[in-house]
Amino acid sequence: MNTQTIAQWIVAVAIAILTASTPYLSNLLKNNTAAKTDANYVAYLAQYAKEAVVMMEKIASDGYVPESAQLQGAVTYVKEALVKLGFTATTTKELTNAVEAAYAQLKADGALDSYPAVTKEESESKQASQLDSQSASLSASVAESQLAQASQTASESVAAYNSLSEKGEVK
């Protein structure tokens, strides 16, 4: 065998191997890309779930928000964030589970302790005290207005008396 025949034989075998393995390699790369996308989805889901939980806890610390509304708000936030990234195949149950898992983790870590939740009773008493202070302020304003009217009436009466006494009509 001469070297040229051996070289041609090696090239032919290499081309046959590449031709036969191309569909397998293509499938392998495609599956690996899907795995990376799934890993990205899980990472983004966890990240946005934590952000949503912290955001809703912050809102709840400013005023009473029922837990069901907090959960729904967090799920909506996560869904919108994932859609913006191009992940559209999400279920509400999957998002709810992610938000609940993030809440449990953040609660266990103590990350939510800086946002004390306002209870319904606290919110109602705060609103009642605000209404009382507004009512007191309004009552003070009304009293000031009535006092100003009375003062005006008294001034007018004194002026009328002085006018009459100058004319000699007052005895």
Side-chain angles (χ1 to χ4, degrees), residues 120-139:
K120 188 174 183 177
E121 293 78 22
E122 290 172 339
S123 177
E124 289 172 351
S125 68
K126 183 177 179 181
Q127 288 176 348
S129 67
Q130 286 175 345
L131 287 175
D132 287 344
S133 67
Q134 289 173 350
S135 175
S137 174
L138 183 60
S139 296

Side-chain angles (χ1 to χ4, degrees), residues 62-104:
D62 293 340
Y64 175 69
V65 179
E67 288 181 13
S68 60
Q70 289 179 28
L71 178 63
Q72 185 59 38
V75 167
T76 302
Y77 173 81
V78 172
K79 185 172 188 168
E80 289 174 1
L82 290 174
V83 166
K84 287 180 184 176
L85 292 174
F87 297 107
T88 56
T90 59
T91 64
T92 303
K93 184 68 175 168
E94 187 176 73
L95 297 175
T96 302
N97 289 342
V99 168
E100 289 174 349
Y103 177 81

Side-chain angles (χ1 to χ4, degrees), residues 118-163:
V118 176
T119 64
K120 188 174 183 177
E121 293 78 22
E122 290 172 339
S123 177
E124 289 172 351
S125 68
K126 183 177 179 181
Q127 288 176 348
S129 67
Q130 286 175 345
L131 287 175
D132 287 344
S133 67
Q134 289 173 350
S135 175
S137 174
L138 183 60
S139 296
S141 296
V142 168
E144 287 176 13
S145 173
Q146 288 175 346
L147 182 62
Q149 286 177 346
S151 175
Q152 179 68 26
T153 304
S155 296
E156 290 173 359
S157 296
V158 168
Y161 177 79
N162 289 338
S163 171

Side-chain angles (χ1 to χ4, degrees), residues 44-54 57 71 74 78 94-112:
Y44 286 128
L45 179 61
Q47 174 188 352
Y48 286 124
K50 285 181 183 178
E51 289 177 10
V53 167
V54 170
E57 285 294 311
L71 178 63
V78 172
E94 187 176 73
L95 297 175
T96 302
N97 289 342
V99 168
E100 289 174 349
Y103 177 81
Q105 181 185 4
L106 291 170
K107 193 72 168 174
D109 293 344
L112 300 178

